[in-house]
């Protein structure tokens, strides 16, 4: 299975332009699955709730999801992409999955980061896993990384590849996702953006790049640079994620002491 990441600099508010950048790049490669950054079509640093409302789109019938479906059909691949989703008077920071046969599903970010709490509603759906043929893939978004429960739940549902659109500004996630891969024995695919946004006078955001694919033993198969724009593809064997044994005696799921974990469900 060939898995790709597109790391680039979305331009704030330029939805058709950002989509065009992706269209152009994706048509030049061969892959089964490509993961794009969080909010790839709009940019990240919103300054009013009205602005988010105007840029957010319905899923699956909105402009961006329909363009992604066209790309997936034309190039014969699956795409995971982060976008702002509007559903009635609610707005979510979402990731959609589309494929050669059209729209597949959506995940609404459960753990909002920083000022996202001012602009978005938190998702309250399941953490979803989809069978795309070569592998079962799970979706999470950016700051979900800091809650290890998310990748654990995805892995317990059979995800072999965890796809994570991201707009990272803290320096920890890329390292933490190596641990998420090891503790669940899954592949992790983190698609981060690069560049800066300075739409608020008192706050400039610098996105950290270093998009990466990690294998179930924690080996970083590739990691892009902190500023480079690139689409990189790597061949993986998703069957490796079916082996949950860390040693001959240790199974990362079966050895869990759920009898001792009751505290996890309490506030
Ligand atoms: C993040 O969740 N965008 C850091």
């Amino acid at each position: 299975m060939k898995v790709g990441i597109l790391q680039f600099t979305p331009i704030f508010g330029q939805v058709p332009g950002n989509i065009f950048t992706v269209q152009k790049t994706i048509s030049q490669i061969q892959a089964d699955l490509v993961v794009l950054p969080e909010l790839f079509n709009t940019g990240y640093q919103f300054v009013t709730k009205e602005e988010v409302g105007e840029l957010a789109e319905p899923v699956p019938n909105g402009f961006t999801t329909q363009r992604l479906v066209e790309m997936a059909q034309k190039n014969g691949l699956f795409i995971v992409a982060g976008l702002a989703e509007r559903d009635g008077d609610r707005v979510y920071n979402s990731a959609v999955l589309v494929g050669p046969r059209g729209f597949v599903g959506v995940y609404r970010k459960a753990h909002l980061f920083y000022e996202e709490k001012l602009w978005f509603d938190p998702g309250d759906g399941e953490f979803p896993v989809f069978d795309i043929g070569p592998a079962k893939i799970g979706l999470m978004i950016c700051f979900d990384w800091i809650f290890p429960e998310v990748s654990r739940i995805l892995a317990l549902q059979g995800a072999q590849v965890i796809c994570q659109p991201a707009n990272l500004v803290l320096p920890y996630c890329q390292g933490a996702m190596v641990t998420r891969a090891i503790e669940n024995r899954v592949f992790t695919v983190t698609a981060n953006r690069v560049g800066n946004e300075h739409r608020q006078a008192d706050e400039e955001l610098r996105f950290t790049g270093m998009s990466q694919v990690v294998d179930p033993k924690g080996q970083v198969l590739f990691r892009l640079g902190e500023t480079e724009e690139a689409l990189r593809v790597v061949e993986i064997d998703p069957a490796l994620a079916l082996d949950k044994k860390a040693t001959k005696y240790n199974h990362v799921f079966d050895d869990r002491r759920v009898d001792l974990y009751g505290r996890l469900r309490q506030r």
Side-chain angles (χ1 to χ4, degrees):
M1 177 182 183
K2 285 187 174 157
V3 176
I5 289 177
L6 174 53
Q7 174 170 295
F8 76 113
T9 307
I11 309 300
F12 190 90
Q14 305 290 312
V15 173
N18 293 327
I19 292 174
F20 181 66
T21 301
V22 174
Q23 271 167 340
K24 217 172 34 181
T25 322
I26 280 191
S27 66
Q28 291 163 13
I29 54 112
Q30 281 244 315
D32 299 294
L33 170 68
V34 172
V35 184
L36 307 181
E38 179 181 13
L39 296 169
F40 90 94
N41 62 336
T42 58
Y44 184 77
Q45 195 182 32
F46 294 96
V47 293
T48 65
K49 202 148 169 102
E50 289 69 41
E51 188 175 64
V52 196
E54 277 164 27
L55 286 168
E57 302 174 13
V59 171
N61 293 324
F63 179 76
T64 299
T65 308
Q66 288 304 307
R67 299 294 82 70
L68 290 166
V69 166
E70 286 166 11
M71 281 185 240
Q73 289 175 334
K74 190 156 165 236
N75 299 288
L77 42 70
F78 287 85
I79 303 171
V80 173
L83 47 74
E85 178 191 359
R86 190 176 58 240
D87 182 8
D89 57 4
R90 306 207 127 222
V91 180
Y92 300 99
N93 180 346
S94 296
V96 294
L97 170 65
V98 299
R101 279 188 262 162
F103 173 76
V104 180
V106 63
Y107 163 63
R108 294 168 169 172
K109 186 175 186 178
H111 302 100
L112 297 173
F113 176 70
Y114 195 51
E115 291 182 342
E116 289 170 32
K117 292 193 173 196
L118 308 179
W119 318 130
F120 293 103
D121 297 288
D124 49 15
E126 304 276 302
F127 298 106
V129 174
F130 303 97
D131 190 342
I132 63 166
K136 289 187 179 164
I137 69 166
L139 305 189
M140 58 186 260
I141 301 177
C142 205
F143 195 56
D144 283 330
W145 71 266
I146 210 167
F147 304 91
E149 294 86 352
V150 178
S151 33
R152 177 67 97 199
I153 289 169
L154 292 172
L156 285 170
Q157 293 180 99
Q160 293 155 278
V161 180
I162 291 182
C163 302
Q164 181 194 27
N167 275 190
L168 294 159
V169 292
L170 300 179
Y172 314 118
C173 173
Q174 290 87 343
M177 289 310 287
V178 173
T179 304
R180 297 290 101 81
I182 296 168
E183 68 200 4
N184 294 296
R185 295 189 66 92
V186 293
F187 290 88
T188 64
V189 182
T190 300
N192 193 16
R193 61 163 288 176
V194 288
N196 290 41
E197 283 187 359
H198 197 173
R199 303 190 66 249
Q200 291 177 17
D202 57 348
E203 186 141 60
E204 178 167 3
L205 299 178
R206 190 182 71 79
F207 301 96
T208 59
M210 299 195 289
S211 298
Q212 64 183 20
V213 177
V214 183
D215 81 5
K217 291 187 173 167
Q219 294 182 75
V220 179
L221 302 183
F222 72 76
R223 182 178 280 169
L224 296 172
E226 282 176 54
T227 56
E228 76 177 303
E229 300 194 288
L231 199 168
R232 183 84 169 264
V233 178
V234 68
E235 178 107 35
I236 63 166
D237 178 4
L240 296 177
L242 300 174
D243 173 12
K244 299 301 181 190
K245 286 199 147 175
T247 74
K248 188 160 78 158
Y249 298 103
N250 295 102
H251 188 286
V252 295
F253 290 171
D254 295 350
D255 287 4
R256 286 173 305 135
R257 292 295 307 276
V258 291
D259 53 322
L260 303 178
Y261 302 159
R263 185 74 182 85
L264 281 180
R265 292 199 69 95
Q266 294 163 22
R267 276 264 155 216

